[in-house]
Amino acid sequence: MSDSFQTIPGTFDILPDAQSSSAGTVAPSHAWQHVEGTIRRVMQRHGVREIRTPILEPTALIARGIGQLTDIVSKEMFAFERGDAHYVLRPEVTAPVMRAYLQHHLAQLGGVQRLFYVGPCFRAERPQKGRYRQFHQFGTEYIGADDARADAETILLAVDIYRELGLTDFTVRLNSLGTAATRPAYKAALTAYLRPLAGQLSETSRERLESNPLRILDTKSEAERKLLEAAPVMLDFIDEESRAHYKDVKKHLEAAGLSFEEDPFLVRGLDYYTRTAFEIDSPVLGAQSTLAGGGRYDLLASEIGSKQEVPAVGFAAGMERLFLALEAAGIVLPEAAAPDVFVVTLGDRATDHAFPLIRAWRQSGLSVVYDLKGRSMKAQMREANRQQARRVVILGDAELDAGMAQLKQMDTGEQQSVPLSGLPGLLSAAT
Ligand code: HAM
């Protein structure tokens, strides 16, 4: 066994260069920057502002917010204790954002808080392609909004980000889960329908029949899906107001020209949803096909201690799954920016002389790189090529004595001898 350390399974390093590694790393850091830049731009256009909350949260916030019986809380939390305090590495960001909203009395600012985030989340799931233990979500939460336009805008925001990145092949599925008041009647009807069929259900579903029957609707098993074909559907049980709200959400999505599928069996893996629930799937992702999910969570605030109900809606999307979908769709993201100048030096004097010059050029705003290993000219030129530098400045002891340097344009190969004093002007003029 090697005694060198490795990343923990289900986590990965994000490196500057693309790697074909078994560690499941999904994209180089500049691709992350590009995607995050797009997310920020689209958010900004929607008046959505960034919120950053801690990675560590109180375990009780997550347990109460997401629901004790969910897979996330019952099986997948990275939770630990120190003294009397119970901590969890956040498995998602909605409950933390609502905590922050309540803690800082953001309601007092009036209106709707349109917030977004990008950052790591942690779930102790079995790692596989598209499913990791540390993964990254971007998402948005519209807090204080009960208007159906907020639900529609949330969905369209996710769609716009995907489209802006060039991803067009995805499906939006939509459902309404009604309110907490209408859920028991539906649960009872579903349980009554499934109980006689229990013998044909998987062990997990049989357990869920007692604990959380709605989750059975989420099954991936073909046989179970067949059994569910004649099951009662939630939409027949929801209240008039929820029905009207759902109708409005659909109306706004249609007005925006978005095609979506209504999926009466769409339920989510977190318990805080009321009314709107949606998911965005990519056909190229295989088993972990859900790019993004979200919905309305009007009861979360009360669940975590607010005296007032706070209507809210949002979505979260996996960054890693987005990269996998982009790759599968053959979408090539822009390359990392290449340096403006690579400085090649020959001889000790030239090397020493170059050091403050490079610093001055960098201070003037140029991106300048050079070799730190004292390698041969050939090796330095190879490195300049590898880094796709646009120009190379070659400084040798002899040139230095004459107050000159060689300037090479890498695209044309054209090389000229120029006075050192004129270099800053030449370099910045061509930038
Ligand atoms: P979620 O469906 O649990 O919802 O996660 C949202 C997205 O995060 C998933 O669709 C998937 O792309 C990504 N994701 C989840 N778990 C993993 C994992 N283990 N590895 C890689 N990617 C993963 C939520 O988290 C809710 N907070 C969404 C929301 C926001 N609802 C309202 N506002």
Side-chain angles (χ1 to χ4, degrees):
M1 203 184 98
S2 151
D3 56 2
S4 63
F5 293 109
Q6 304 276 316
T7 43
I8 292 165
T11 72
F12 50 84
D13 299 313
I14 299 169
L15 302 171
D17 294 309
Q19 302 279 315
S20 53
S21 129
S22 57
T25 176
V26 285
S29 51
H30 64 83
W32 283 73
Q33 287 165 7
H34 174 80
V35 169
E36 287 168 7
T38 305
I39 292 166
R40 286 169 196 283
R41 208 169 46 243
V42 177
M43 293 293 181
Q44 205 260 338
R45 290 206 297 253
H46 287 76
V48 185
R49 295 179 310 154
E50 183 172 10
I51 180 165
R52 300 188 191 196
T53 59
I55 303 295
L56 279 183
E57 290 284 356
T59 306
L61 165 71
I62 300 299
R64 273 164 52 187
I66 299 178
Q68 289 286 357
L69 295 176
T70 58
D71 284 353
I72 298 177
V73 172
S74 63
K75 299 191 253 189
E76 297 167 359
M77 286 202 297
F78 283 105
F80 59 97
E81 292 168 33
R82 282 183 76 86
D84 292 339
H86 296 253
Y87 303 99
V88 62
L89 300 182
R90 65 180 190 194
E92 60 105 52
V93 198
T94 309
V97 168
M98 184 58 94
R99 177 205 43 71
Y101 177 90
L102 297 172
Q103 178 176 339
H104 304 290
H105 308 290
L106 298 185
Q108 286 174 4
L109 299 172
V112 170
Q113 286 288 312
R114 289 175 158 96
L115 303 167
F116 84 90
Y117 47 82
V118 185
C121 295
F122 304 81
R123 296 184 192 177
E125 300 193 81
R126 193 166 60 78
Q128 52 191 286
K129 190 170 184 189
R131 175 172 286 172
Y132 309 101
R133 293 191 148 193
Q134 173 170 348
F135 59 100
H136 298 73
Q137 282 190 346
F138 66 94
T140 183
E141 312 296 348
Y142 281 22
I143 307 192
D146 53 14
D147 196 303
R149 285 175 301 171
D151 307 49
E153 189 168 305
T154 299
I155 297 170
L156 292 163
L157 190 56
V159 164
D160 282 354
I161 290 169
Y162 291 141
R163 287 194 182 146
E164 189 121 341
L165 286 163
L167 197 67
T168 49
D169 194 9
F170 50 75
T171 315
V172 177
R173 289 182 298 118
L174 188 65
N175 193 16
S176 176
L177 307 178
T179 63
T182 56
R183 199 102 23 105
Y186 177 65
K187 262 192 194 166
L190 182 65
T191 314
Y193 170 82
L194 285 173
R195 198 158 275 143
L197 305 171
Q200 299 172 60
L201 294 175
S202 70
E203 202 184 316
T204 320
S205 294
R206 265 203 306 277
E207 276 167 25
R208 284 178 171 162
L209 193 53
E210 303 314 321
S211 60
N212 201 356
L214 262 55
R215 290 291 291 158
I216 300 175
L217 299 176
D218 215 16
T219 179
K220 298 269 184 297
S221 139
E222 272 309 313
E224 289 189 338
R225 275 176 188 270
K226 267 226 113 40
L227 289 181
L228 285 168
E229 271 171 11
V233 296
M234 193 123 51
L235 281 179
D236 293 336
F237 286 76
I238 69 177
D239 56 291
E240 274 316 309
E241 256 184 78
S242 294
R243 205 181 296 279
H245 183 89
Y246 185 51
K247 209 169 135 205
D248 277 352
V249 175
K250 291 190 288 180
K251 177 182 81 182
H252 295 309
L253 290 177
E254 278 156 13
L258 182 77
S259 46
F260 56 88
E261 284 172 15
E262 288 184 70
D263 179 351
F265 290 150
L266 181 123
V267 284
R268 306 260 309 123
L270 307 94
D271 281 352
Y272 48 56
Y273 293 107
T274 48
R275 296 192 173 162
T276 313
F278 67 92
E279 286 186 350
I280 303 180
D281 297 323
S282 160
V284 296
L285 279 185
Q288 310 306 323
S289 64
T290 312
L291 277 174
R296 176 163 283 285
Y297 49 95
D298 294 346
L299 299 178
L300 173 61
S302 324
E303 212 58 65
I304 61 171
S306 169
K307 294 203 176 54
Q308 263 98 49
E309 280 190 12
V310 182
V313 60
F315 82 88
M319 289 286 282
E320 291 79 4
R321 291 188 193 177
L322 170 55
F323 284 117
L324 292 171
L326 288 168
E327 192 186 0
I331 294 164
V332 182
L333 298 177
E335 290 287 321
D340 298 314
V341 187
F342 192 101
V343 178
V344 169
T345 57
L346 299 161
D348 292 344
R349 245 176 352 107
T351 300
D352 284 351
H353 193 88
F355 191 73
L357 283 181
I358 289 168
R359 182 168 152 75
W361 295 339
R362 284 171 172 166
Q363 282 171 338
S364 76
L366 290 169
S367 154
V368 189
V369 286
Y370 65 100
D371 177 52
L372 271 172
K373 292 195 80 168
R375 287 187 287 188
S376 70
M377 169 153 175
K378 205 163 146 204
Q380 291 183 58
M381 287 303 289
R382 240 196 335 263
E383 182 62 21
N385 256 323
R386 199 186 67 79
Q387 295 203 26
Q388 300 180 336
R390 294 169 40 214
R391 285 158 297 185
V392 171
V393 168
I394 305 164
L395 263 181
D397 289 352
E399 268 121 346
L400 202 60
D401 290 337
M404 302 294 282
Q406 297 288 321
L407 177 63
K408 181 169 180 174
Q409 299 293 337
M410 294 302 270
D411 50 354
T412 59
E414 177 195 334
Q415 188 168 325
Q416 58 183 138
S417 198
V418 295
L420 260 182
S421 57
L423 253 181
L426 271 176
L427 292 177
S428 41
T431 304

